[in-house]
Amino acid sequence: MNRTWVTVVGAMLLLVALGMASLGIGPVSVSPLSGVRWIVGLDNTSLSRSEQTILIQLRLPRILAACLVGGSLAMAGVGFQGLFRNPLADPYVIGASSGAALGVTLAVALGVSAGFAGLSGLSVFALVGSILAVLVVFTIGSLGGVPSGLTLLLAGVAMSSMINAIVSLVMFLNDQKIVVIFAWLMGSLADNDWYIVMATGMSTIMGGGLLWAMSRPLDANLLGDAAAQSLGMDLVRFRVLVVLGASVATAGAVAAAGIVGFVGLIAPHVARHLVGPRHVALIPMSACIGAMLLLVSDNIGRTIVAPSELPVGILTALLGGPFFLFLLKTRQVAEGALR
């Protein structure tokens, strides 16, 4: 096993350790070690019935949901950055999260409950909204010919602004549901249960698995369209599959946790410094870092204003906003040095 995969495995083990430690975080004090021993069936006597209920019905689903949502957003960020060849792209900036948010907002406003193919109604609406938003961004960015990274980024920002306005309009027209929609838009993992964990896990496996299967084409795409075509790539098929994989991962995350911004921007950059640019290792490494980032953020949100909770979307936005500005400034400096 080379150094890259040792780093990935180390990140996975660290994520497991953080998850076990998170079992003890909450209003009711529970020993993480006792909780782990009870979950794996090694100790059935040290925890009371109420503590067992708290672990299995509240904390464990929330921890798993945080890992799945953070991992999904991180993998989607890798996919969009590789597709657009732009390190500033992520589901939040490029419009995928906003499209999914509009889909879920419409589902809540219309009272949709029926699902499709094992997915909940919220997940279906989120998926459709996410895919449509990214396709519109890519179409607008391609109007002048080959889309540049800056054009796609600006198109994503414009699309996100327009979609956010539509979301606000839907909330205005459905004032009886405004509290539910607004609480969801702030981003939170508080209401996750085992059904949501399973639905999110399905979207994570489908979307993340598709992106990981596209690792080699994503590597080739970084060389440019001409070089990728010379290697035998079908660019249309490649773009459709990457958009589909990243949108499925984003939709599942948004349906489970609402708007959680910048995880898909921060995690891939950190992962790239640790394992390099090859997507076969970058995608799982980014997933681990995204999961850890959201898990730690959720733990902070649960404790910093206890007994109340700070929505995790607020924390990631406070962290991600300055990080985005730093990356933007770094790129400007680098481009200026090359002129």
Side-chain angles (χ1 to χ4, degrees):
M1 184 180 294
N2 60 32
R3 181 179 177 182
T4 295
W5 288 107
V6 169
T7 304
V8 174
V9 172
M12 292 178 179
L13 294 176
L14 179 58
L15 175 59
V16 172
L18 284 174
M20 291 190 296
S22 299
L23 290 172
I25 297 177
V28 177
S29 178
V30 178
S31 168
L33 181 58
S34 298
V36 172
R37 288 174 60 84
W38 177 76
I39 289 172
V40 299
L42 296 178
D43 183 358
N44 295 322
T45 61
S46 61
L47 296 180
S48 66
R49 185 58 63 92
S50 62
E51 290 174 333
Q52 294 175 11
T53 302
I54 289 172
L55 285 180
I56 202 67
Q57 296 296 334
L58 298 176
R59 293 189 187 172
L60 190 56
R62 183 165 184 161
I63 290 169
L64 293 175
C67 294
L68 291 170
V69 170
S72 294
L73 293 174
M75 290 188 290
V78 173
F80 285 129
Q81 290 173 15
L83 174 65
F84 296 143
R85 295 191 288 270
N86 189 323
L88 297 179
D90 90 322
Y92 186 79
V93 175
I94 214 66
S97 291
S98 298
L102 176 58
V104 174
T105 301
L106 290 174
V108 173
L110 296 174
V112 174
S113 58
F116 176 77
L119 297 175
S120 67
L122 293 183
S123 297
V124 172
F125 271 66
L127 175 60
V128 173
S130 178
I131 292 176
L132 289 178
V134 176
L135 289 179
V136 170
V137 168
F138 201 86
T139 301
I140 294 174
S142 303
L143 291 178
V146 179
S148 68
L150 179 60
T151 301
L152 291 170
L153 187 65
L154 293 175
V157 172
M159 178 59 60
S160 295
S161 299
M162 184 175 68
I163 291 175
N164 289 336
I166 297 175
V167 169
S168 298
L169 177 62
V170 174
M171 292 171 63
F172 177 78
L173 296 176
N174 295 270
D175 56 340
Q176 71 276 13
K177 298 180 179 179
I178 192 170
V179 175
V180 176
I181 297 174
F182 184 71
W184 178 85
L185 289 175
M186 286 193 295
S188 175
L189 295 162
D191 296 326
N192 281 277
D193 54 25
W194 286 109
Y195 176 78
I196 295 177
V197 168
M198 288 188 289
T200 309
M202 184 184 302
S203 65
T204 301
I205 293 172
M206 292 170 58
L210 180 56
L211 289 173
W212 194 63
M214 299 298 292
S215 294
R216 289 175 66 86
L218 282 166
D219 290 340
N221 186 63
L222 297 178
L223 302 175
D225 289 349
Q229 285 179 316
S230 69
L231 294 173
M233 273 181 56
D234 183 343
L235 290 181
V236 174
R237 177 177 176 275
F238 161 74
R239 288 167 179 166
V240 168
L241 290 177
V242 173
V243 167
L244 180 61
S247 297
V248 168
T250 300
V254 172
I259 298 298
V260 180
F262 297 109
V263 174
L265 179 70
I266 298 173
H269 279 275
V270 176
R272 236 176 243 112
H273 284 290
L274 295 173
V275 299
R278 292 189 60 210
H279 286 84
V280 69
L282 179 61
I283 290 173
M285 188 66 188
S286 297
C288 290
I289 293 175
M292 287 188 282
L293 175 61
L294 197 58
L295 184 57
V296 171
S297 297
D298 185 51
N299 288 339
I300 293 173
R302 283 193 284 158
T303 56
I304 194 172
V305 291
S308 300
E309 288 191 12
L310 189 65
V312 69
I314 294 177
L315 288 172
T316 59
L318 289 173
L319 178 64
F323 188 84
F324 180 81
L325 294 175
F326 170 76
L327 289 177
L328 190 61
K329 182 62 178 177
T330 302
R331 282 176 59 84
Q332 290 175 343
V333 171
E335 290 171 356
L338 294 174
R339 292 193 183 114

